[in-house]
Amino acid sequence: MINQPKAPFTLPQLPYAQNALEPHMSANTFSFHYGKHHNAYVTNLNKMVEGTDLAEKSLEEIIKITAGDLSKAGIFNNAAQVYNHSFFWHSMKPNGGGGPTGKIAEKINESFGSFEKFKEEFKTAAATQFGSGWAWLVLDNGSLKIEKTSNADTPVARGKKAILTIDVWEHAYYLDFQNRRPDYIDTFLNNLVNWEFAEKCLI
Ligand code: MN3
């Protein structure tokens, strides 16, 4: 669903319409973010890997192969951003948010002590990521953890399993919330999180 087997990579289909997250995320924000930003990462990545060995590798493989290689930073940044954005769209849904249920709820309680504790840690990570980046819920050695990453960086590069993410680049929220990143994070948790997707990622 998120990974793609080889180039040319495509802008993935969305699991809902671009206005489906209104009023919490506007169609205007969505169309710039998906149609311009995400699309540009796909186009750039295809140009960069064309005619190279990486054209035969999957999106995840490209991320792992180029991570930490400064001569391939451009490829890494675009591949990771294609992956991160695809993951972000699935991390939300219309009428989402609130508390998780089932296996994902049990796992959150087991890993953080309570859902409230998880929320606190996730919000802090997302709010304190300095400049552009992402906050993540990841599965690492069997337990759930919160991480934040800068710019295009992704826990997938280090073999961790992504469960949920929020994009905290300004382009993700500026049109709707201006500089109020904490309000955007609250809206994500209260109205947008797709816990069914998070639960599927546990497996
Ligand atoms: Mn973005």
Side-chain angles (χ1 to χ4, degrees), residues 124-136:
T124 301
T128 60
Q129 169 52 38
F130 184 75
S132 296
W134 301 80
W136 300 85

Side-chain angles (χ1 to χ4, degrees), residues 6-10 41-51:
K6 63 180 193 141
F9 299 104
T10 56
Y41 297 127
V42 173
T43 307
N44 291 340
L45 177 62
N46 282 331
K47 276 190 206 144
M48 286 173 167
V49 300
E50 197 182 348

Side-chain angles (χ1 to χ4, degrees), residues 33 37-38 41 81 85 88-89 134 167-169 171-172:
H33 201 176
H37 292 276
H38 192 178
Y41 297 127
Q81 285 294 73
H85 283 89
F88 178 51
W89 309 135
W134 301 80
D167 187 342
V168 295
W169 286 54
H171 67 222

Side-chain angles (χ1 to χ4, degrees), residues 21-102:
L21 304 183
E22 288 194 330
H24 310 294
M25 185 177 284
S26 69
N28 194 28
T29 288
F30 215 104
S31 72
F32 273 100
H33 201 176
Y34 171 73
K36 305 283 186 203
H37 292 276
H38 192 178
N39 193 50
Y41 297 127
V42 173
T43 307
N44 291 340
L45 177 62
N46 282 331
K47 276 190 206 144
M48 286 173 167
V49 300
E50 197 182 348
T52 74
D53 293 352
L54 293 173
E56 297 302 316
K57 304 286 185 192
S58 76
L59 189 57
E60 269 194 49
E61 285 169 330
I62 293 175
I63 291 169
K64 286 176 184 161
I65 292 167
T66 59
D69 180 348
L70 282 180
S71 71
K72 299 213 165 57
I75 299 175
F76 174 80
N77 286 337
N78 283 284
Q81 285 294 73
V82 171
Y83 190 97
N84 293 348
H85 283 89
S86 303
F87 204 88
F88 178 51
W89 309 135
H90 284 278
S91 296
M92 301 182 287
K93 65 168 195 176
N95 304 311
T101 54

